[in-house]
Amino acid sequence: MKNTFTRRVFLGGLASGVATAVWAEAPAVSLRPQLRGAGFHKRTAPAAKALLDASGVRGEVGFLVADADSGLRLEGHNAATGIPPASVAKAITALYALDVLGPEHRFQTRLMTAGKIENGILQGDLVLAGGADPTLDTNALAEMAQGLKDSGVREVRGDFLVYDGALPFVSSIDPDQPDHVGYSPAVSGIALNFNRVHFEWRRGSNGYGVTMDARSDKYRPDVTVARMQVADRSTPIYTYATTGVQDQWTVAKGALGKSGARWLPVRKPALYAGDVFRTLARAHGVQLKAAVTVQDAPAGRVLVTHSSEPLTDILRDMLKYSTNLTAEMVGMATSAVRAGQITSLRASAREMNLWAQSSMGLTDIDLVDHSGLGGASSISAADMVQALAHPKSRQGLRPLLKTIGMRDSKGRIDKNHPIKVSAKTGTLNFVSGLAGYMTAQDGTELVFAIFAADEQTRNKIKRADRERPEGARPWNRRAKTLQQNLIERWGLVYGS
């Protein structure tokens, strides 16, 4: 099995351009076959520097691999240099939340009132109180609307309020991103459908018909807090404006085909949730006034409570699907418990940095958010490995990480590959990261972190072009190839 593995490593290296660095000089004379010592395959493994030089990855690269049991550092390059981690930062956020909130923590969204219910009439305000649940969806609101009816309420005489003050309001996770990208929505103490609204268009005989809704697998309630208008132009594809109570979008007719759909970010989370709940309550015969946002925590009687899944389940999905909103809401909710009231996303990230320094002994961490979307974040490979090698991480985080499939020389997932990897990936334009755990063929457990960033090129990208900038995909492919080649080297040299 080891000879087969060695052959795979070298074939993969040749296919990715490592041959020039490793096999450039042929022997002057023919060599007689000789017995290979026990460490022959280790001596002939491509050197890390050769892999790096042949990768074609421009910019800064830092990596480190260590023994998972002892923490002994085995091999590194620029390991103390802070580099943007992209979504690998979510692994730190997960550790932070597990330590402070606990794995069984559940977020609660409540319907509350201080008034009396007499003959089905609520004499007072109804409050939809957000509890920082990042997973609240239309189905959950529909269940809460049913619960309102089951509580005996048929009419609400007071106002309909939405409390979103559990977390500070953030208009966009990363303001440097284009307005229309769904991975950078607003953040507040209440969210719905990851703060995204579904935009769909279809061309008809009289032009385009468009819809904006909060769809789930069961419901498709239209929304009024977000509006779309088709504009007779080719560029820009989207424009965004706000009236204070509504997200107003336009889309270029020239960019639309016959039909299509995409999720757009929501900039008014509380009004969005209130808009949808009002529609769902109306379906049960309960008329509510237009939602009004409030910042003060409500007091009174709880009519209905919706509880999220346990934190471990939320984090597992966050790490698998790399949901930025989940990371930011969980991270800020954690900071609120640890430090009391927080005023901004940046302040919450600083609190997490302080926790990482005091709890994990990290020294080269400077994250500006909890998701890694902000390109100004940085962490060293050495700090990342130290965090992952911590006993709490191996026990609590590792089971939540997704399996990363190793690939063959043609880029296809190799299900029979002898190295098994569970890790967190991270990808931004000209930024790529991978950090986690690997099990070599002989069962050796290693912990590693690999970061690469071409910040000079990244900083030149115009805001409007950040969704798909020229050259970003080839650069990221080269970075991912380097990651695989390094992992295969480590499995060969340190794992057999």
Side-chain angles (χ1 to χ4, degrees):
M1 288 297 292
K2 291 182 180 179
N3 288 337
T4 302
F5 176 40
T6 304
R7 176 178 172 79
R8 180 184 291 110
V9 171
F10 289 134
L11 287 176
L14 290 169
S16 60
V18 179
T20 303
V22 181
W23 301 105
E25 297 182 4
V29 295
S30 298
L31 300 179
R32 294 174 60 85
Q34 298 181 15
L35 292 175
R36 298 182 177 185
F40 178 82
H41 61 290
K42 297 186 179 184
R43 296 195 303 272
T44 56
K49 186 179 186 305
L51 296 174
L52 181 59
D53 291 344
S55 68
V57 178
R58 302 186 311 273
E60 198 84 64
V61 177
F63 58 78
L64 181 69
V65 62
D67 181 84
D69 292 325
S70 67
L72 178 65
R73 298 181 178 187
L74 303 173
E75 180 174 280
H77 172 78
N78 283 344
T81 301
I83 297 175
S87 285
V88 176
K90 293 181 176 72
I92 299 294
T93 300
L95 289 170
Y96 182 43
L98 288 170
D99 187 52
V100 176
L101 300 181
E104 296 302 318
H105 179 83
R106 294 174 186 259
F107 300 97
Q108 293 188 337
T109 307
R110 299 168 296 165
L111 278 177
M112 302 177 63
T113 180
K116 295 182 180 180
I117 301 174
E118 297 178 348
N119 299 319
I121 300 174
L122 172 56
Q123 301 289 349
D125 299 337
L126 181 69
V127 184
L128 175 62
D133 180 2
T135 62
L136 187 72
D137 61 9
T138 297
N139 290 350
L141 283 190
E143 292 175 2
M144 295 185 74
Q146 177 68 56
L148 177 63
K149 177 182 178 181
D150 294 343
S151 72
V153 174
R154 298 293 180 270
E155 181 182 348
V156 176
R157 293 281 174 88
D159 292 329
F160 175 42
L161 309 177
V162 181
Y163 167 67
D164 69 346
L167 300 176
F169 175 77
V170 180
S171 61
S172 175
I173 295 173
D174 179 13
D176 290 336
Q177 298 295 327
D179 288 326
H180 63 275
V181 294
Y183 53 77
S184 187
V187 186
S188 76
I190 191 168
L192 179 65
N193 301 330
F194 301 105
N195 283 344
R196 300 178 307 166
V197 62
H198 190 264
F199 162 48
E200 186 170 6
W201 65 92
R202 187 176 300 276
R203 187 169 57 199
S205 57
N206 296 320
Y208 282 96
V210 300
T211 59
M212 301 282 274
D213 61 57
R215 67 179 55 192
S216 68
D217 59 340
K218 297 180 180 179
Y219 307 96
R220 291 190 180 184
D222 291 332
V223 300
T224 61
V225 74
R227 287 298 192 208
M228 177 65 73
Q229 180 180 354
V230 178
D232 190 11
R233 65 171 190 266
S234 297
T235 58
I237 297 178
Y238 291 98
T239 68
Y240 171 78
T242 177
T243 63
V245 295
Q246 192 176 69
D247 290 334
Q248 295 185 333
W249 296 91
T250 72
V251 62
K253 182 190 296 184
L256 302 178
K258 182 178 180 181
S259 62
R262 73 171 292 162
W263 290 91
L264 293 172
V266 167
R267 304 290 179 212
K268 305 182 189 318
L271 294 180
Y272 177 51
D275 188 11
V276 174
F277 184 80
R278 187 183 182 206
T279 298
L280 296 169
R282 187 168 59 245
H284 290 292
V286 182
Q287 298 291 333
L288 301 175
K289 297 178 182 178
V292 176
T293 303
V294 294
Q295 295 292 310
D296 295 332
R301 176 185 173 189
V302 177
L303 300 179
V304 182
T305 299
H306 171 77
S307 295
S308 73
E309 295 298 315
L311 181 63
T312 49
D313 292 344
I314 293 174
L315 295 178
R316 183 180 292 106
D317 285 347
M318 177 194 76
L319 294 167
K320 179 179 180 180
Y321 300 109
S322 210
T323 45
N324 294 329
L325 181 73
T326 299
E328 305 303 356
M329 292 187 71
V330 168
M332 286 199 290
T334 304
S335 293
V337 169
R338 173 179 160 83
Q341 186 176 6
I342 52 173
T343 58
S344 67
L345 176 55
R346 185 67 181 92
S348 181
R350 283 196 296 268
E351 189 64 34
M352 184 171 72
N353 293 338
L354 292 173
W355 167 86
Q357 292 164 7
S358 61
S359 298
M360 298 274 180
L362 308 193
T363 58
D364 300 309
I365 181 171
D366 184 15
L367 303 180
V368 302
D369 56 31
H370 299 287
S371 65
L373 185 58
S377 286
S378 69
I379 186 173
S380 68
D383 264 10
M384 195 71 220
V385 165
Q386 182 162 325
L388 293 173
H390 195 282
K392 287 184 178 180
S393 303
R394 297 180 66 191
Q395 180 179 3
L397 177 66
R398 184 172 186 176
L400 304 182
L401 293 172
K402 68 178 181 181
T403 299
I404 305 297
M406 298 292 285
R407 297 179 181 273
D408 61 21
S409 60
K410 295 183 179 180
R412 301 170 300 192
I413 295 292
D414 182 358
K415 296 181 179 180
N416 297 318
H417 199 287
I419 296 177
K420 307 303 177 185
V421 177
S422 57
K424 181 70 190 82
T425 60
T427 303
L428 293 173
N429 297 323
F430 299 99
V431 176
S432 183
L434 183 68
Y437 308 88
M438 57 178 285
T439 305
Q441 184 178 14
D442 68 345
T444 298
E445 300 281 347
L446 303 174
V447 59
F448 69 91
I450 309 168
F451 296 132
D454 184 355
E455 295 186 79
Q456 184 176 3
T457 301
R458 175 178 169 78
N459 292 336
K460 294 178 181 178
I461 305 171
K462 296 179 181 179
R463 182 173 182 266
D465 298 331
R466 285 188 176 270
E467 189 172 17
R468 294 185 183 89
E470 183 178 357
R473 289 187 178 182
W475 186 95
N476 283 88
R477 282 197 297 269
R478 291 191 291 271
K480 291 183 183 300
T481 299
L482 174 61
Q483 292 165 6
Q484 164 133 343
N485 288 341
L486 286 171
I487 289 172
E488 289 193 319
R489 166 182 163 76
W490 296 334
L492 182 64
V493 174
Y494 302 112
S496 58

